[in-house]
Amino acid sequence: MTSLQGMAPRQELADEVHALLRGHIMRGTIPPGVRINIEDVARQLNVSPTPVRETLARLESEGLVDRQPRRGYRATELLDRDDVRDLYELRMLLEPHAVEAAANRADAPLLQLIREELERGRELTRDTSTISPAELSAHDERFHDLIFQAAGNELIRQSYARTHCHLHIFRLAYSDSYDDHTILEHGQILAPLVAGDAEAATEAMRRHVLSSEARVMRYFDSQEPKKAAWHGNPATL
């Protein structure tokens, strides 16, 4: 393994450790429920325990690890069917309202950012044989966050962000629930949003949330969550 030691500045090292551990949790190479030993991880990465502790605190705030008294950290369990339904109920309450507000406000700079984000999503799916689920998940999160920004209610935006909905849906079924359907539906939201047609934008968002929920529910019905191969010690990264 390439050592992370010697990188500068300190924040860059912390960000590298965070990105690495977060990626392994999201892909399942650190499986749900597995204990993450700070000293073992630090030794594997050839770094001090400090950036590993900082990373685990950040991952706890994202809901990707739990801290257990006297036992340290472990990767959180996957969402179950009821958890997913609760998240989609929240989405249905908040996101149609947000896109309606965004269409009525029609903030030109933010609308341009949303256009650019959609184009990035389209670029990701131009070749369906090379679609990256992780990149599509990140696009999905950015697209919806920009709509919350455009709606102009920071409290609602932050409340939704704390659910880390997209992270957990991706982690549950990352190879099944993100595909070019997501991008097509984003385009159907953007067109009326840019036109200031609040009613049509709201309906497009409702359809998108319902379609996304249906895709994830089909995943529950068809198979167990997929995980990458696991070979022993969670510190073996």
Side-chain angles (χ1 to χ4, degrees):
M1 176 187 296
T2 302
S3 170
L4 297 182
Q5 191 66 278
M7 294 182 62
R10 180 172 175 272
Q11 186 58 48
E12 185 176 332
L13 175 60
D15 288 344
E16 285 287 324
V17 174
H18 175 263
L20 184 64
L21 286 184
R22 185 176 184 270
H24 281 286
I25 291 170
M26 295 288 283
R27 292 191 300 273
T29 46
I30 295 179
V34 166
R35 183 170 177 268
I36 303 173
N37 183 281
I38 292 173
E39 288 72 23
D40 285 348
V41 173
R43 186 163 47 252
Q44 287 286 325
L45 300 180
N46 193 25
V47 298
S48 76
T50 299
V52 180
R53 288 194 188 94
E54 292 173 353
T55 282
L56 290 171
R58 288 171 66 182
L59 293 173
E60 184 180 19
S61 74
E62 296 175 18
L64 295 177
V65 302
D66 289 327
R67 185 178 182 182
Q68 301 175 307
R70 297 183 297 279
R71 297 185 65 185
Y73 290 93
R74 67 178 181 88
T76 54
E77 299 294 344
L78 294 176
L79 300 179
D80 62 24
R81 184 185 291 267
D82 289 341
D83 294 330
V84 170
R85 289 203 181 279
D86 287 347
L87 277 180
Y88 275 100
E89 183 176 356
L90 179 65
R91 291 189 69 177
M92 190 60 78
L93 288 171
L94 296 183
E95 297 200 60
H97 170 76
V99 80
E100 178 183 18
N104 286 326
R105 290 170 61 89
D107 182 278
L110 276 170
L111 289 177
Q112 180 58 31
L113 289 176
I114 297 170
R115 284 192 195 94
E116 292 170 1
E117 184 55 51
L118 177 60
E119 187 52 40
R120 280 193 285 270
R122 286 171 172 160
E123 187 61 34
L124 289 172
T125 58
R126 292 198 195 285
D127 183 351
T128 56
S129 67
T130 61
I131 289 176
S132 165
E135 291 180 1
L136 270 179
S137 173
H139 155 75
D140 196 28
E141 188 172 9
R142 289 191 302 267
F143 181 86
H144 287 272
D145 182 65
L146 284 167
I147 290 175
F148 277 109
Q149 289 184 52
N153 188 318
E154 188 62 19
L155 179 60
I156 291 178
R157 179 192 173 208
Q158 292 299 328
S159 297
Y160 180 75
R162 282 193 288 272
T163 70
H164 299 286
C165 173
H166 297 80
L167 293 184
H168 295 295
I169 294 298
F170 168 78
R171 185 179 171 220
L172 175 71
Y174 67 87
S175 64
D176 294 281
S177 61
Y178 286 92
D179 56 22
D180 57 348
H181 290 93
T182 300
I183 307 304
L184 292 171
E185 290 163 15
H186 286 177
Q188 291 165 359
I189 294 166
L190 181 62
L193 174 59
V194 170
D197 187 340
E199 183 177 355
T202 300
E203 182 56 32
M205 179 64 81
R206 289 183 185 278
R207 290 196 304 268
H208 173 52
V209 174
L210 288 171
S211 295
S212 177
E213 181 179 16
R215 286 192 288 272
V216 176
M217 287 300 132
R218 284 198 297 272
Y219 174 82
F220 274 107
D221 292 339
S222 65
Q223 59 187 304
E224 291 299 316
K226 294 180 180 179
K227 301 175 186 176
W230 174 245
H231 303 290
N233 193 318
T236 307
L237 306 176

